[in-house]
Amino acid sequence: MTSQAPQSSTRSISFLQAFLRSEALGGYVLMLAAAAALIIANSPLAPHYFDVLGTKFGFQVGTVMLKESVLHWVNDGLMAVFFLLVGLEIKREVLDGQLRGVSRIVLPGIAALGGMVMPALIYVLINLGTPDTLRGWAIPAATDIAFALGILALLGSRVPTSLKIFLTALAILDDLGAIVIIALFYTSELNLFALAMAGALLACLVCLNRAGVLRLTPYLLIGVVLWYFVLKSGVHATLAGVALALTIPLRPQTQGHGGAHSPLHALEHVLHKPVALLIVPVFGFANAGVSFAGMGLSSLAQPVPLGVALGLFLGKQLGVFGFAWLAIKTGMASLPRHASFTQLYGVALLCGIGFTMSLFIGALAFTDPAAVDATKIGVLTGSLLSAVVGFLLLRTRSGAPAPDAKG
């Protein structure tokens, strides 16, 4: 048992390093996709861009016909795969990773809580006078891990590895909070039959797990049917991905020189690159396009964009850094190794990059195209401010390369 511990630790570190690299690369691709969407939406190609997103297509299986717009398929179909990966990451980190054990979860957990509460509070305060827009309170509450880690990767060894791990853990907990928020507050009128069928399928998945079934095929086949019934139930379809992920076994499948392997690790490995380099950028390209024609500073001063922008830029830094500072000063947690409070504040700024999840929640919160566009303006403004200021602060105040960082 003791001889295996160093190998297990080495594997965890290697996996984390590979994860950080892949997420950083995904962040760069996502930036390019978002920039392309903005350029096209403000060019002569804009009508074609919006027409394609609105084009409906589908397929029929037996008596079941699914026909939705391209944008709907991206947000409800492709993003279900994204949420499947998020669920796998959450399960692995909690049971066998950086979030295993109370001591590891305290600082990122408290910081994540502050990073959800303060942005929502700022949004609500700004939108109190317009009750119709209060539904968007959760839009600035999420952090985009791909974008944030992409910015950190640009800084290289100036930022200690411990802070990168802290940001990763915080963003994963942040994603978990966003999943709970979507399930509780952004569920439409329920279809009880479809919900019951989804529950029965979820029970089947749990039984497969309990029976020790390690082949991924039955889980994925049932998962597709689960996605359909969740889609029809009124609960957002992407949550089917999370539910499926939590039933995928995390236990030894084969033994060799590489140590324990499990279906969860295998599926996570397969999904990482397609999600980071294809699915999330496609989502960004489909959702970031907004025309700036006729807009001025007064457009940004409206309750929705102002609440989102300030929620991300001010709320995130106040919540993440403020709650983390209190936790450290009261002895509940320790400052990440080789990190300073200035660097921690810089990372808190980067947490204000809420691009992917913020746009996703915005699409759930509002159906009015004008409100959706206002959300996009707020998300882009707040995320850009957070990225630029966070990068400059970490760039100018980090000093020499951190002792434990790798160049």
Side-chain angles (χ1 to χ4, degrees):
M1 292 292 290
T2 53
S3 62
Q4 293 178 356
Q7 294 179 358
S8 177
S9 176
T10 301
R11 285 196 303 273
S12 298
I13 294 172
S14 298
F15 187 91
L16 178 64
Q17 290 173 341
F19 171 76
L20 291 173
R21 286 196 297 270
S22 68
E23 289 291 338
L25 177 60
Y28 301 146
V29 178
L30 178 57
M31 292 177 201
L32 291 175
L38 285 172
I39 292 170
I40 293 173
N42 291 276
S43 76
L45 294 174
H48 302 290
Y49 169 80
F50 291 110
D51 285 346
V52 168
L53 291 178
T55 301
K56 289 193 173 185
F57 74 97
F59 57 89
Q60 186 168 350
V61 179
T63 60
V64 177
M65 178 65 185
L66 281 178
K67 188 175 183 180
E68 302 290 350
S69 67
V70 171
L71 183 60
H72 193 280
W73 279 114
V74 170
N75 290 352
D76 283 15
L78 287 182
M79 287 301 282
V81 182
F82 167 78
F83 275 88
L84 170 59
L85 179 59
V86 169
L88 294 173
E89 290 170 351
I90 290 172
K91 180 174 180 176
R92 174 181 50 76
E93 290 293 342
V94 170
L95 298 181
D96 192 33
Q98 292 300 319
L99 300 179
R100 183 179 183 182
V102 176
S103 61
R104 293 183 176 184
I105 204 173
V106 170
L107 185 62
I110 292 175
L113 177 62
M116 288 184 283
V117 170
M118 293 303 294
L121 181 60
I122 287 176
Y123 181 93
V124 168
L125 289 175
I126 292 174
N127 283 266
L128 278 176
T130 53
D132 291 344
T133 63
L134 283 176
R135 184 171 166 78
W137 64 270
I139 295 171
T143 294
D144 191 305
I145 187 172
F147 252 131
L149 288 176
I151 298 297
L152 277 187
L154 291 175
L155 294 162
S157 59
R158 288 177 176 270
V159 178
T161 301
S162 61
L163 273 183
K164 297 175 184 177
I165 294 172
F166 165 77
L167 176 59
T168 303
L170 185 152
I172 289 173
L173 291 169
D174 198 270
D175 283 343
L176 178 59
I179 289 167
V180 173
I181 288 171
I182 291 169
L184 294 179
F185 299 101
Y186 295 101
T187 294
S188 58
E189 191 172 332
L190 294 178
N191 180 322
L192 296 181
F193 172 75
L195 192 62
M197 290 299 296
L201 290 168
L202 184 58
C204 289
L205 289 168
V206 172
C207 289
L208 287 177
N209 184 298
R210 295 293 185 183
V213 176
L214 297 176
R215 286 177 57 84
L216 280 170
T217 303
Y219 291 96
L220 297 179
L221 290 176
I222 294 175
V224 172
V225 185
L226 174 66
W227 172 85
Y228 170 77
F229 281 110
V230 173
L231 175 68
K232 295 300 182 182
S233 72
V235 177
H236 200 269
T238 52
L239 297 180
V242 180
L244 172 61
L246 299 181
T247 66
I248 303 295
L250 178 62
R251 55 173 67 103
Q253 182 180 29
T254 59
Q255 294 289 339
H257 293 294
H261 184 67
S262 75
L264 186 145
H265 288 99
L267 183 57
E268 190 177 8
H269 178 74
V270 168
L271 291 178
H272 253 304
K273 285 188 178 179
V275 168
L277 303 180
L278 179 63
I279 290 176
V280 173
V282 166
F283 171 84
F285 181 77
N287 286 272
V290 57
S291 174
F292 296 126
M295 291 187 182
L297 289 177
S298 59
S299 299
L300 183 58
Q302 297 302 309
V304 170
L306 185 63
V308 172
L310 292 183
L312 287 171
F313 182 62
L314 291 181
K316 275 292 184 180
Q317 58 174 289
L318 290 173
V320 171
F321 182 76
F323 277 52
W325 183 86
L326 284 174
I328 293 168
K329 289 299 183 179
T330 57
M332 296 175 63
S334 300
L335 189 66
R337 190 167 177 256
H338 296 305
S340 65
F341 275 108
T342 300
Q343 290 174 317
L344 182 63
Y345 178 60
V347 168
L349 278 164
L350 294 185
C351 288
I353 305 173
F355 189 80
T356 304
M357 197 67 80
S358 293
L359 287 176
F360 185 79
I361 295 176
L364 297 180
F366 301 119
T367 55
D368 177 24
V372 173
D373 284 348
T375 297
K376 292 178 182 180
I377 294 169
V379 170
L380 292 170
T381 303
S383 296
L384 183 62
L385 280 172
S386 299
V388 171
V389 178
F391 174 81
L392 290 176
L393 178 66
L394 289 170
R395 174 90 177 168
T396 57
R397 295 299 181 93
S398 290
D404 64 336
K406 299 191 182 293

